[in-house]
Amino acid sequence: MISRDTFPSPDHAWTAVDESHECVSWIFVTDLWSEIYLVTERPVPLQVIPILTTRYEPPQLVWSAPDVLQLRVRWPRRFDPYVRNADGVRIEMRYDTSLIDEGAKKPR
């Protein structure tokens, strides 16, 4: 099963995509991973730039400016994006402590 979330940049020049893949057996999830990439139709008809693939909980994607995409993670795990500058879009890693507090409040 694949689920896809899209996050357009403020100027709509780029779209950040979080594509989650889940392989399920009869009873339980056997594998889960996410791919994050940027898509644009400018200046060429279609351009796809891979940013990150992770087996952990995927980062939250936030545009802090039209050319700055933040990857916010809940805990201090090391994520290594494939690129830090994707055709003019700066990729920033942020450890968001508010996400840790939100996770603690969720009932289990």
Side-chain angles (χ1 to χ4, degrees):
M1 182 170 74
I2 298 175
S3 64
R4 187 175 291 123
D5 293 317
T6 58
F7 305 89
S9 64
D11 63 356
H12 297 281
W14 291 92
T15 300
V17 180
D18 179 359
E19 191 171 275
S20 297
H21 301 261
E22 182 179 21
C23 297
V24 183
S25 70
W26 280 19
I27 301 172
F28 54 90
V29 175
T30 57
D31 205 5
L32 176 66
W33 73 95
S34 290
E35 296 175 308
I36 296 172
Y37 53 92
L38 286 174
V39 178
T40 188
E41 294 189 12
R42 300 177 207 164
V44 293
L46 179 65
Q47 185 177 7
V48 177
I49 301 173
I51 302 296
L52 178 72
T53 300
T54 179
R55 287 191 175 276
Y56 308 111
E57 180 179 338
Q60 184 181 54
L61 305 179
V62 177
W63 288 97
S64 60
D67 61 346
V68 179
L69 176 64
Q70 290 183 352
L71 308 177
R72 295 183 181 175
V73 294
R74 180 189 309 246
W75 58 88
R77 254 185 220 257
R78 183 167 170 82
F79 287 97
D80 288 324
Y82 302 134
V83 293
R84 293 290 181 164
N85 188 330
D87 200 14
V89 176
R90 191 171 72 228
I91 309 299
E92 294 181 347
M93 294 297 300
R94 294 280 185 237
Y95 297 112
D96 193 341
T97 56
S98 68
L99 294 174
I100 295 171
D101 297 337
E102 287 176 17
K105 293 176 187 175
K106 289 182 181 178
R108 295 182 187 226

